Amino acid sequence: MNTRANKTALITGASSGIGQELAKLFAKDGYNLVLVARSTDKLNEIGGQFWDEYGVETVVITKDLSEENAAQDVYNQVKEKNIPVDILVNDAGVGLYGLFATETDWEREKSLIHLNVLTTTLMTKLFLKDMVERNEGKILNLASLVAITPMPLMAVYAATKAYIYNFTQSLINELKDTNVSVTALLPNATDTDFFNKAGASNTKVTENLDDPSLVAKDAYNALMKGAPKVVPGGLVNKAYEVMSYVAPQETMAGMMRKNMEPKKEPVTDEKGNKAALTWGIGLAAVVLAGAALALAYSNSSAYDKARYRYKAGKLKSGADDVYDDVKDTLINGLNSVKDAVSTAKEVVAKAKETFADVLA
C-alpha cells in the first residue's frame, strides 16, 4: 500500500551503494522518487523494480553532478515537472587517493570539490528555500566519519566532508524554529564502489567494510526522526567517533595514515581481526568514561569526590585489564593486529593519564 502517495524524495547518487539502498527504503515506505545519477539505464532499471514491488512512481534525471550548474539544472527539471520535493538526499560524492603534493591530479580534485561541496551546497540551497516556504521538509547530507578526523592520502576528500558536516550543523541551528530538519550522515568505510573509483581498493581500510544496506537503514531512521547526525554501524563506529574527539589530531592522523596504506599481506585470521575491533570498543568506552568522570569530579562536593575517586580507581584497573586482554587475544602476530595493539596501547595510556589526574 502506498502510504506516502503525495510525498517525493529526491536522491542523488542513486544508481548504487548507499544511495540505491536509501532509494529502496523510501520506495518501500511509499515515497515517489526522483533519482539522479549518470547512468540512465541503471536508474531506469531501479525505477522499474520499485514500480513492480512497491507501486511508486520514479522520475529519472541523468546528470553528472560534478559539472558546472548541474544542481541548478536538476532543480529546473524538477520545477518544470511540477514535483514538490519533500525530502532531499545529497548522497553523490567521490574520493581520490594519493599524496596531495606529488601523486594526485588537480583536475580530478577540482571535480571532486565541485561535486562534494559546490553541488551539494547549491542543491541544498535551492530545495531548502522551497521547504522553508512550506515549513516542511527533510534533508540528508552525506558526510563521513573522516569529517571529524584527518585523513592522509585522501586529504581533499576528507576536507570536503568536514565542510559538509560543519555546513549541516550550522543549518540545523538556523532552522530550529521551523519544521524543516537537516541530518548529517557519518558512515565509516562502506562496501560500495567508492574505494575502487578513488584508486584506493588495495588499502587496509577495505579489509573491514560496513554493509551499505545497514548504513542506509540507520540513516533513514535518523532522517525521519529529524536527528542532527547519525553514525551508523553500532558501537565500533561510535568508538571511532569518541576517539576523534578525545585523541590529539596528530594521533588520529597517524592512525588514519596506517588505514590508508596499501595492504601488506592478506588477513588470514579473521576472528583475531574482529576481536581487535571488539576490544577497541572497550578501549574507547574506557576513555569516554574517564573523561566524563573527570568532568563530574571537578564540579562535585567533597563527599561525591570521594565516590568518584573510588570509581576512577576501578576504571584505571579496568584499563589495565583491557590492554592485557588485547595482548593475549592478538598474540598471533599478524601485521594488522599488531597495529591494533599499538593503537590500543596509545589510547589506554591516555586514559591512564586522565584517571591519574582524577585520583591526584
Side-chain angles (χ1 to χ4, degrees):
M1 180 178 178
N2 193 338
T3 59
R4 305 280 185 174
N6 297 320
K7 299 289 186 180
T8 299
L10 186 154
I11 305 167
T12 68
S15 60
S16 63
I18 298 172
Q20 183 177 337
E21 295 296 335
L22 281 166
K24 183 176 181 179
L25 292 173
F26 281 110
K28 189 175 182 179
D29 205 20
Y31 281 85
N32 294 318
L33 301 172
V34 177
L35 304 182
V36 184
R38 292 182 296 179
S39 175
T40 304
D41 292 341
K42 183 62 175 178
L43 292 181
N44 284 332
E45 178 185 341
I46 293 171
Q49 177 185 340
F50 290 162
W51 171 260
D52 292 340
E53 294 185 11
Y54 308 114
V56 298
E57 297 180 1
T58 299
V59 172
V60 169
I61 297 180
T62 306
K63 178 62 60 177
D64 181 351
L65 292 175
S66 66
E67 295 177 349
E68 190 72 24
N69 299 319
Q72 185 69 58
D73 185 50
V74 170
Y75 179 78
N76 291 344
Q77 290 190 51
V78 170
K79 297 296 283 187
E80 288 172 2
K81 299 177 187 298
N82 196 30
I83 302 173
V85 172
D86 300 281
I87 296 179
L88 169 65
V89 176
N90 286 310
D91 174 77
V94 294
L96 182 62
Y97 179 77
L99 293 169
F100 176 76
T102 58
E103 295 180 350
T104 56
D105 175 71
W106 168 242
E107 291 302 319
R108 290 189 62 185
E109 283 168 334
K110 184 168 64 173
S111 177
L112 180 158
I113 294 170
H114 198 291
L115 172 57
N116 292 8
V117 175
L118 296 180
T119 294
T120 298
T121 304
L122 184 53
M123 288 283 287
T124 300
K125 189 173 187 67
L126 294 170
F127 288 101
L128 180 59
K129 183 178 180 180
D130 293 342
M131 293 178 182
V132 171
E133 289 177 354
R134 299 194 306 265
N135 196 29
E136 182 181 19
K138 297 179 181 297
I139 297 177
L140 179 68
N141 286 333
L142 179 61
S144 168
L145 268 180
V146 302
I148 54 177
T149 184
M151 193 179 189
L153 299 177
M154 292 190 76
V156 175
Y157 169 76
T160 65
K161 292 306 178 179
Y163 169 89
I164 293 300
Y165 179 65
N166 189 292
F167 172 60
T168 299
Q169 297 308 306
S170 297
L171 292 183
I172 291 169
N173 179 269
E174 292 183 10
L175 298 166
K176 64 181 181 179
D177 296 324
T178 74
N179 291 323
V180 180
S181 65
V182 189
T183 301
L185 171 58
L186 283 73
N188 203 340
T190 305
D191 190 10
T192 68
D193 202 31
F194 170 82
F195 289 101
N196 181 48
K197 291 180 178 178
S201 59
N202 192 44
T203 53
K204 293 178 183 178
V205 71
T206 61
E207 294 172 348
N208 294 286
L209 298 174
D210 289 344
D211 185 335
S213 65
L214 298 180
V215 171
K217 183 177 180 180
D218 285 349
Y220 186 83
N221 291 337
L223 174 68
M224 292 306 177
K225 292 177 182 177
K229 69 174 181 178
V230 55
V231 179
L235 291 176
V236 170
N237 292 340
K238 299 295 192 302
Y240 290 151
E241 181 189 15
V242 170
M243 283 192 289
S244 72
Y245 294 141
V246 301
Q249 288 292 286
E250 57 269 25
T251 300
M252 295 304 301
M255 290 172 55
M256 296 302 293
R257 176 64 181 265
K258 288 181 179 179
N259 286 338
M260 294 308 299
E261 289 175 350
K263 301 174 187 176
K264 294 181 179 178
E265 60 183 60
V267 176
T268 57
D269 189 347
E270 184 176 353
K271 183 177 180 181
N273 198 37
K274 289 183 177 179
L277 294 176
T278 301
W279 284 115
I281 299 171
L283 292 169
V286 168
V287 173
L288 182 59
L293 189 57
L295 179 62
Y297 179 87
S298 64
N299 295 295
S300 299
S301 65
Y303 171 76
D304 287 333
K305 284 182 178 179
R307 291 193 301 113
Y308 285 130
R309 287 193 188 98
Y310 172 72
K311 290 182 179 179
K314 293 185 68 176
L315 280 170
K316 184 177 181 182
S317 176
D320 290 331
D321 291 342
V322 168
Y323 178 56
D324 288 338
D325 285 342
V326 170
K327 289 195 297 184
D328 292 339
T329 302
L330 306 179
I331 200 68
N332 53 28
L334 288 173
N335 288 330
S336 62
V337 178
K338 287 181 180 178
D339 291 341
V341 173
S342 177
T343 299
K345 189 173 182 179
E346 292 179 14
V347 174
V348 171
K350 294 185 180 300
K352 288 180 179 180
E353 291 177 7
T354 301
F355 305 149
D357 290 340
V358 173
L359 290 169

